[in-house]
């Protein structure tokens, strides 16, 4: 059975605006996978991942956290404000020392608190999956609002002083807590009733702003462990109206993987030719390999159909995709022909752009280590996290 180890990113945000949360989510997706998205390929990654697997995150480890977090909040009923924040932090830290198995959030830094605790990592998932009730306007309540809604007495208002949906509790009725909830080791394996609880919510999950069942719901309904990969026949067979989009997502994943390798190869070339510094050909050699592995799939991508799936792409990213497709079709292995569209796409990063022919660009290149930088890979659309979720549910049957 597939399991993944815990993830402990070092970045942290709390109580941010909606725009700031979106930026934080994008950065967490980048940093936690070890990928810096210079060209913008994560736009494709996030859009398809949200379509197929709503509520998921690269920071997710184990399914039981989606139930553990509401239990923690209910345990702290009566606390609000700073005292609730401190108590939640302490409880999550203590829990990191008691949880057993793979995927424990905070294990690496215990007894210190994690900078990305479960209540942060799983908050959006609980809202999307119907575990955390929404406000009347459909917006997700904050953790502070959830604490206030759990007060046995007093006002239950939002940050603007408006009543919070008729004093309903913030969470739906949850499965019973295990007997060792307050003391002793706790497993991250789901109990049968907990798996049933999650399965009921996930199996009716719809695509964002769409009445169609999402791919995650269709996978959950099978009751089976995760297929070997996202493109396996088992997934294609149940994808329904998402089948064509899923195939395009595979093609886009391959094209983006090649694009990432092209960017790295361009950096190596600039380091050597522009900066007159010795450097290995590690990433240029890898470009040959990844084109050989993914080129046949990547060149099938219909970019107009891709935009029909996920919305309009940034103009410069679209130009990169078209240029990369033509480069693959021409069977050219010299990435320097693609320098201009890649340089233009990376320019959005301002002084952090490495391909720029400027003093800042040269300084950023000198900070880059070819040997330490990971080799480019295709997009994964959070499949590893989804696979662990499916395995957790199947194991509890």
């Amino acid at each position: 059975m597939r399991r993944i180890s815990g993830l402990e990113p070092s970045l942290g945000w709390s109580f941010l605006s909606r725009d700031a949360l979106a930026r934080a989510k994008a950065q967490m997706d980048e940093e936690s996978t070890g990928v810096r998205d210079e060209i913008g390929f994560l736009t494709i990654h996030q859009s398809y991942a949200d379509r197929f697997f709503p509520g998921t995150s690269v920071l997710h480890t184990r399914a039981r956290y989606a139930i553990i977090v509401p239990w923690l909040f209910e345990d702290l009923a009566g606390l609000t404000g700073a005292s609730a924040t401190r108590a939640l932090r302490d409880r999550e830290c203590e829990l990191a020392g008691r949880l057993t198995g793979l995927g424990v959030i905070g294990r690496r830094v215990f007894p210190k608190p994690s900078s990305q605790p479960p209540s942060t990592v799983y908050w959006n998932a609980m809202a999307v999956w119907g575990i955390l009730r929404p406000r009347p306007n459909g917006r997700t309540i904050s953790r502070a609002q959830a604490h206030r809604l759990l007060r046995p007495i007093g006002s239950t208002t939002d940050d603007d002083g408006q009543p919070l949906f008729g004093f309903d509790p913030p969470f739906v009725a949850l499965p019973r807590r295990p007997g060792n909830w307050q003391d002793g080791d706790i497993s991250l394996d789901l109990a049968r009733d907990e798996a049933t609880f999650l399965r009921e919510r996930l199996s009716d999950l719809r695509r964002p702003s769409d009445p169609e069942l999402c791919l995650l719901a269709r996978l959950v309904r099978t009751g089976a462990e995760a297929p070997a990969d996202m493109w396996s026949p088992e997934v294609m067979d149940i994808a329904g109206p998402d089948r064509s989009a899923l195939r395009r997502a595979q093609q886009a994943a391959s094209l983006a993987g090649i694009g990432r390798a092209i960017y790295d190869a361009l950096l190596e070339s600039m380091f050597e030719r522009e900066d007159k510094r010795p450097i290995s050909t590690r990433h240029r050699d890898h470009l040959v390999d990844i084109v050989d592995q993914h080129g046949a799939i990547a060149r099938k991508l219909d970019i107009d159909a891709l935009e029909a799936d996920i919305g309009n792409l940034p103009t410069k990213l679209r130009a990169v995709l078209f240029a990369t497709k033509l480069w693959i079709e021409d069977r050219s292995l010299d990435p320097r022909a693609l320098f201009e569209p890649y340089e233009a796409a990376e320019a959005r990063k301002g002084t952090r752009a490495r391909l720029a022919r400027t003093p800042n660009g040269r300084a950023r290149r000198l900070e880059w280590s070819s040997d330490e930088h990971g080799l480019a890979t295709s997009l994964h659309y959070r499949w590893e996290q989804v696979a662990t979720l499916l395995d957790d549910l199947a194991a509890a049957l």
Side-chain angles (χ1 to χ4, degrees), residues 178-376:
N180 61 343
W181 174 244
Q182 296 297 338
D183 185 39
D185 291 343
I186 302 176
S187 172
L188 275 172
D189 295 337
L190 289 165
R192 181 181 291 270
D193 62 330
E194 296 164 8
T196 299
F197 170 83
L198 287 177
R199 192 182 303 280
E200 288 174 351
R201 278 142 189 83
L202 292 170
S203 63
D204 198 40
L205 197 58
R206 308 288 161 160
R207 299 195 309 218
S209 305
D210 193 318
E212 289 287 351
L213 281 177
C214 68
L215 183 60
L216 177 57
R218 295 176 185 275
L219 287 165
V220 168
R221 288 185 175 202
T222 69
E225 292 183 0
D229 62 64
M230 190 172 165
W231 327 113
S232 66
E234 303 99 302
V235 180
M236 290 296 177
D237 286 346
I238 65 165
D242 264 330
R243 188 175 292 113
S244 295
L246 187 59
R247 186 61 69 195
R248 276 189 293 274
Q250 181 185 22
Q251 296 159 358
S254 292
L255 187 59
I258 293 172
R260 288 171 166 175
I262 288 169
Y263 175 83
D264 294 339
L266 287 172
L267 274 181
E268 277 187 350
S269 294
M270 287 196 76
F271 206 89
E272 190 173 78
R273 296 172 182 271
E274 296 281 333
D275 305 326
K276 309 301 182 185
R277 300 268 183 151
I279 194 170
S280 74
T281 60
R282 177 170 174 259
H283 292 284
R284 283 168 285 185
D285 294 341
H286 178 62
L287 176 58
V288 175
D289 293 337
I290 198 170
V291 169
D292 184 61
Q293 181 182 358
H294 289 277
I297 297 174
R299 63 171 162 256
K300 294 178 182 178
L301 178 64
D302 182 332
I303 296 172
D304 291 333
L306 168 72
E307 290 191 305
D309 289 340
I310 65 175
N312 292 336
L313 297 168
T315 302
K316 292 178 180 178
L317 175 59
R318 181 181 169 89
V320 162
L321 295 179
F322 270 111
T324 304
K325 260 196 71 176
L326 289 174
W327 180 85
I328 296 169
E329 290 166 357
D330 289 343
R331 301 183 183 278
S332 170
L333 292 177
D334 186 350
R336 288 175 294 172
L338 294 170
F339 180 81
E340 288 187 5
Y342 276 72
E343 180 192 30
E346 194 198 20
R348 81 192 203 284
K349 300 184 79 71
T351 58
R352 293 176 295 139
R354 293 194 180 103
L355 293 180
R357 290 170 167 162
T358 63
N360 273 328
R362 185 172 188 273
R364 299 292 80 76
R365 288 193 295 277
L366 293 178
E367 296 169 355
W368 184 76
S369 172
S370 174
D371 292 336
E372 295 178 4
H373 186 75
L375 295 174

